[in-house]
Amino acid sequence: MTLPVVFIDGDQGTTGLQIHQRLQGRTDLKLVTLPAEQRKNPVSRAAAINACDIAILCLPDDAARAAVASIENPNVRVIDASSAHRTDPDWVYGFAQMGAQQKQAIANATRITNPGCYPTGAIGLLRPLLVAGLVPKDYPITINAVSGYSGKGRAGVDEFEGPDAAQATPFQIYGLGLAHKHVPEIQQYSGLSERPVFIPAYGSFRQGIVLTVALQLRLLPAGVSGTTLHQCLEQHYAGSEFVEVLTMEQSGALTGLDPRVLNGTDKLRLMVFENAGHVLLAAVFDNLGKGAAGAAVQNLDLLIAGH
């Protein structure tokens, strides 16, 4: 049996390094990266991507588009970890737990766009509830999320771990123009008919995300409660290897949410809190795990198993 050749383009960034670490030592594939002197050589990169079976792109958006444009070999399959193709209808969205048919769609695809880190939590919480009709598609959704500074990429790591780390802002809300690039992705794949408000932030910790969505029961269909919403999520993710839904009792016992609690894993943890007509949906996960590298490896495994 010929081992599939997997080429990581951009293996020195935060996501690329994590993917490389996860794949090192595996015996079911042949891992290829470019030496340092060839990483920015378009000829070398084009040759490598056309010679592989599966390319994983860990590049800025424009560079990812250029890499895809350089593909002439029709047998090359691509997993793009950038946001360049996230809402492109010709690309399959790489969130396998999103729906019953998504895992098979990924396995059969030639072009897969890896979900963004924040959208993984937002879509993971919202999509099952919207599909079930428990949350109206035009609900005025506001999403608050805090990520570790590695979400900024190498620039964030340098800012908080470099020589000027003492001057780094310990907590910063950003995206104040209310036009974060993840918003169209969240709206499209959650099923919202209206653009959600998304308020992201960075904290002074390396990895991890906590993301919350507040709902008012008076704006939901009659009879919907926190328990109803929880049951829907529990049923949707039943048996999932990578997504866990805490029981209402487990969530109720919590007094705080640590964004780092699942660091080093590829898990997504969902929770539902309810009190006095208000519901809080919450997600915790590693922005470099299920939010990036872990998701890419999950998609890679589906591609390998499907061929």
Side-chain angles (χ1 to χ4, degrees):
M1 174 180 166
T2 304
L3 297 179
V5 176
V6 178
F7 169 52
I8 304 176
D9 194 355
D11 64 308
Q12 294 305 299
T14 51
T15 298
L17 282 170
Q18 292 262 335
I19 293 173
H20 199 170
Q21 290 169 6
R22 282 166 163 79
L23 298 182
Q24 278 185 322
R26 284 187 47 166
T27 59
D28 60 334
L29 54 84
K30 179 181 178 182
L31 186 61
V32 174
T33 57
L34 288 175
E37 64 273 12
Q38 295 181 24
R39 286 181 193 135
K40 295 187 178 181
N41 184 319
V43 176
S44 299
R45 291 174 59 208
I49 201 169
N50 280 286
C52 75
D53 295 300
I54 303 170
I56 303 178
L57 308 181
C58 304
L59 303 166
D61 287 4
D62 287 344
R65 293 186 187 98
V68 173
S70 74
I71 298 175
E72 298 175 351
N73 181 350
N75 297 317
V76 174
R77 291 169 284 161
V78 179
I79 299 170
D80 182 9
S82 82
S83 60
H85 302 99
R86 294 255 174 87
T87 57
D88 189 325
D90 293 329
W91 287 64
V92 173
Y93 195 60
F95 189 175
Q97 296 80 27
M98 188 173 77
Q101 310 304 319
Q102 202 66 17
K103 184 179 290 188
Q104 192 59 50
I106 293 167
N108 295 338
T110 58
R111 298 289 183 267
I112 299 164
T113 177
N114 222 47
C117 53
Y118 292 124
T120 296
I123 295 163
L125 286 167
L126 290 171
R127 184 182 175 91
L129 306 180
L130 269 72
V131 169
L134 301 178
V135 175
K137 293 185 176 181
D138 63 351
Y139 190 99
I141 292 289
T142 297
I143 301 160
N144 289 274
V146 183
S147 171
Y149 55 76
S150 60
K152 288 186 179 182
R154 284 162 59 180
V157 174
D158 290 344
E159 180 182 350
F160 281 86
E161 298 180 9
D164 298 322
Q167 280 71 53
T169 305
F171 181 85
Q172 184 177 30
I173 292 175
Y174 66 105
L176 300 181
L178 302 180
H180 192 282
K181 67 179 182 179
H182 286 331
V183 170
E185 177 184 353
I186 292 172
Q187 180 179 352
Q188 179 169 319
Y189 293 108
S190 66
L192 290 166
S193 62
E194 304 297 325
R195 193 165 69 99
V197 176
F198 176 47
I199 307 167
Y202 287 125
S204 57
F205 53 96
R206 195 177 209 276
Q207 289 172 231
I209 284 179
V210 60
L211 179 147
T212 58
V213 180
L215 301 173
Q216 300 211 31
L217 291 179
R218 64 185 177 83
L219 300 180
L220 302 183
V224 173
S225 66
T227 299
T228 312
L229 300 172
H230 176 268
Q231 288 173 342
C232 177
L233 291 174
E234 199 170 48
Q235 181 177 4
H236 181 87
Y237 295 109
S240 173
E241 180 183 357
F242 297 106
V243 183
E244 61 181 21
V245 181
L246 294 191
T247 66
M248 294 290 281
E249 292 75 17
Q250 289 171 324
S251 297
L254 296 174
T255 57
L257 294 178
D258 184 347
R260 306 165 298 174
V261 71
L262 291 179
N263 281 3
T265 79
D266 296 334
K267 297 277 190 179
L268 169 64
R269 178 176 295 165
L270 307 181
M271 293 148 282
V272 178
F273 305 88
E274 178 180 16
N275 186 43
H278 296 159
V279 169
L280 185 69
L281 309 175
V284 174
F285 54 106
D286 184 348
N287 61 294
L288 295 181
K290 183 58 174 167
V297 173
Q298 290 167 28
N299 290 326
L300 173 66
D301 288 340
L302 288 172
L303 281 184
I304 292 174
H307 290 73

